[in-house]
Amino acid sequence: MKVVLFCGGRGTRIRDYSDSIPKPMIPLGHQPILRHVMQWYSDYGHDEFVLCLGYKANVIKDFFLNTRPQTFSDCIVTHGGQDVKLLGDAVKDWSITLLDTGIWRNIGERLWAAQDHVKNEKMFLANYSDGLTNVDLDDMIAKFEASGKIGCFLAVRAPLTYHLADIAEDGRVREFRTTETSEIWINGGYFVFRPEIFDYMRDGEELVIEPFRRLIDDNMLMAYKHEGFWRSMDTLRDWQSLEDMVEKGDMPWNRKITAEKIRRSMVMAAS
């Protein structure tokens, strides 16, 4: 299944990086968040990517044109770097389409620009490229396919630290509660679509405003609620939180690392 990734963001709220590189290229550990997202899809077997580029598109193009497989793999180097042998599992051969969709286009316009690359697909995936999750993608796709609907988005709890006040019209406070106990759900930026989504789009429209409104009116939009891990990288504080997780080896979105942690805990419990 093809994966459309929106890579045109500037990341203006992450000042340390946004002036020099596009938001999807901000590093987490030794690789950009974009590659973390792509690896997550690849772990589920989806290796065809369509990247909708915008701000500093040349930086992303240069990354994929000049990065060699051994950059992210264990390897043995001999003859002064002339011979490189990769260790472990073979590196997957990703297909990456790089589309310059313009600097100031919104998400809806970027998806429209990628229409020709997904119009013949039964379904396709899409992502904001700035968030990570451990949602079961196979289950999300299966439930969407069975629904017969045209669009699906990942619904997650709002990551707010505020206390929510339930206030009566006369000013009386009925209740204080945390976001964890509320029914506030937000768009997590992970989508599954059928090509019919383009019938609901109009020139210049933002994806989740007018087109989603039309889907809702026709009962063609579903939400996949996820109570597990999800974290977006909107601010410098978000980036630091994710960077700390990477440094500690606590990466719920990495299926390989998660599986290894489970295996080790089972071995320790049995010993």
Side-chain angles (χ1 to χ4, degrees):
M1 195 176 298
K2 289 187 177 180
V3 185
V4 178
L5 298 175
F6 306 117
C7 304
R10 297 187 58 155
T12 54
R13 286 181 289 178
I14 308 180
R15 298 289 182 182
D16 284 9
Y17 292 104
S18 59
D19 290 338
S20 57
I21 60 175
K23 186 178 181 182
M25 295 304 294
I26 294 175
L28 286 179
H30 66 282
Q31 56 184 304
I33 188 172
L34 173 60
R35 200 175 187 284
H36 285 273
V37 173
M38 294 173 71
Q39 185 61 57
W40 181 80
Y41 279 110
S42 182
D43 288 344
Y44 278 97
H46 308 291
D47 299 323
E48 292 186 70
F49 300 95
V50 180
L51 273 55
C52 299
L53 310 181
Y55 178 68
K56 292 190 179 295
N58 62 300
V59 175
I60 298 179
K61 286 183 177 181
D62 183 69
F63 175 79
F64 287 105
L65 289 171
N66 295 305
T67 298
R68 295 176 294 175
Q70 53 266 36
T71 304
F72 301 108
S73 302
D74 293 335
C75 58
I76 299 174
V77 180
T78 56
H79 300 99
Q82 294 183 23
D83 295 327
V84 179
K85 178 182 179 182
L86 300 182
L87 301 176
D89 298 334
V91 177
K92 285 191 175 182
D93 184 16
W94 292 353
S95 170
I96 305 171
T97 301
L98 301 167
L99 297 179
D100 192 341
T101 57
I103 296 177
W104 299 111
R105 284 185 172 178
N106 61 38
I107 296 298
E109 291 171 307
R110 295 190 195 284
L111 180 58
W112 188 266
Q115 180 179 5
D116 287 344
H117 297 273
V118 295
K119 64 182 180 182
N120 295 322
E121 300 293 308
K122 180 181 178 182
M123 295 183 293
F124 66 93
L125 306 163
N127 196 293
Y128 285 157
S129 302
D130 64 356
L132 298 166
T133 185
N134 66 347
V135 68
D136 185 338
L137 182 59
D138 288 340
D139 187 63
M140 182 177 176
I141 292 172
K143 284 184 168 57
F144 169 68
E145 185 172 18
S147 74
K149 298 189 185 299
I150 292 174
C152 173
F153 71 95
L154 181 68
V156 297
R157 296 286 188 182
L160 302 174
T161 57
Y162 303 107
H163 288 92
L164 306 177
D166 182 0
I167 305 172
E169 290 187 5
D170 61 1
R172 179 174 55 87
V173 179
R174 298 190 185 99
E175 181 187 12
F176 264 107
R177 59 184 182 273
T178 63
T179 53
E180 289 81 4
T181 59
S182 74
E183 276 302 310
I184 296 178
W185 295 87
I186 64 172
N187 167 26
Y190 284 67
F191 305 96
V192 191
F193 292 120
R194 301 181 197 272
E196 288 81 1
I197 181 62
F198 296 105
D199 297 333
Y200 287 78
M201 299 173 64
R202 306 291 184 269
D203 185 44
E205 293 180 344
E206 177 58 82
L207 176 62
V208 300
I209 307 300
E210 296 92 349
F212 273 26
R213 179 71 260 172
R214 297 184 188 105
L215 288 174
I216 293 169
D217 290 342
D218 287 351
N219 192 25
M220 283 295 164
L221 180 68
M222 69 168 283
Y224 184 91
K225 289 184 175 180
H226 177 56
E227 297 276 8
F229 174 82
W230 175 87
R231 189 74 54 82
S232 65
M233 192 179 68
D234 291 325
T235 66
L236 186 61
R237 182 178 179 181
D238 295 331
W239 170 80
Q240 186 61 64
S241 177
L242 287 168
E243 181 71 6
D244 289 344
M245 293 179 70
V246 172
E247 290 178 1
K248 295 174 182 177
D250 179 20
M251 295 184 282
W253 63 88
N254 189 305
R255 299 183 77 196
K256 183 177 180 180
I257 290 177
T258 301
E260 178 61 20
K261 290 178 69 174
I262 294 174
R263 186 192 67 81
R264 290 183 179 180
S265 64
M266 293 176 64
V267 170
M268 292 179 64
S271 60

